[in-house]
Amino acid sequence: QVQLAESGGGSVQAGGSLRLSCAASGRTFSSYVMGWFRQAPGKEREFVGRISWSGGLTYYADSVKGRFTISRVNAKNTVYLQMNSLKPEDTAVYYCVAALTWPPSNHDSWGQGTQVTVSS
């Protein structure tokens, strides 16, 4: 397994942008499908998007499609979540996950999360 650490969260006004990073330890990063999830207060964790091991395929939740972009640089063991046109409903703790198969389970590698707050 890999260990993951997210960064880049913060507070931003509606319409603004943030870029989250997820850095992974280990030499097998390129073997993993990488995904982003989020959890808002009082709500269940929800899928945001994922990217294939090569970076050639991405898939997004309808709620973020066209606004969020996932990318990865395997040479840096890092996956990114570029978030544009942010809305207050995007406020949540964002988690990255590394999984060999999809969907991921709680037994896969999850980061500790980073808070994103969008004010109106």
Side-chain angles (χ1 to χ4, degrees):
Q1 283 193 331
V2 294
Q3 292 186 324
L4 305 175
E6 302 96 336
S7 61
S11 297
V12 64
Q13 290 192 329
S17 299
L18 282 174
R19 188 177 81 156
L20 306 184
S21 299
C22 174
S25 65
R27 295 174 291 178
T28 59
F29 175 75
S30 61
S31 301
Y32 292 88
V33 175
M34 297 300 297
W36 288 94
F37 285 75
R38 66 187 182 186
Q39 187 167 20
K43 295 187 177 181
E44 294 188 353
R45 186 173 61 191
E46 67 170 348
F47 170 74
V48 174
R50 70 175 188 262
I51 187 167
S52 63
W53 63 270
S54 68
L57 293 174
T58 54
Y59 185 76
Y60 300 95
D62 287 343
S63 58
V64 307
K65 199 174 296 182
R67 299 188 299 122
F68 290 12
T69 303
I70 298 175
S71 60
R72 66 190 295 166
V73 179
N74 287 341
K76 294 185 177 182
N77 281 13
T78 303
V79 63
Y80 303 96
L81 179 64
Q82 177 67 44
M83 305 185 294
N84 298 329
S85 302
L86 283 161
K87 305 175 181 180
E89 50 264 42
D90 295 318
T91 295
V93 177
Y94 284 71
Y95 300 89
C96 63
V97 59
L100 293 175
T101 60
W102 201 266
S105 72
N106 289 334
H107 299 292
D108 286 305
S109 299
W110 293 81
Q112 82 287 352
T114 186
Q115 176 71 47
V116 171
T117 303
V118 184
S119 58
S120 58

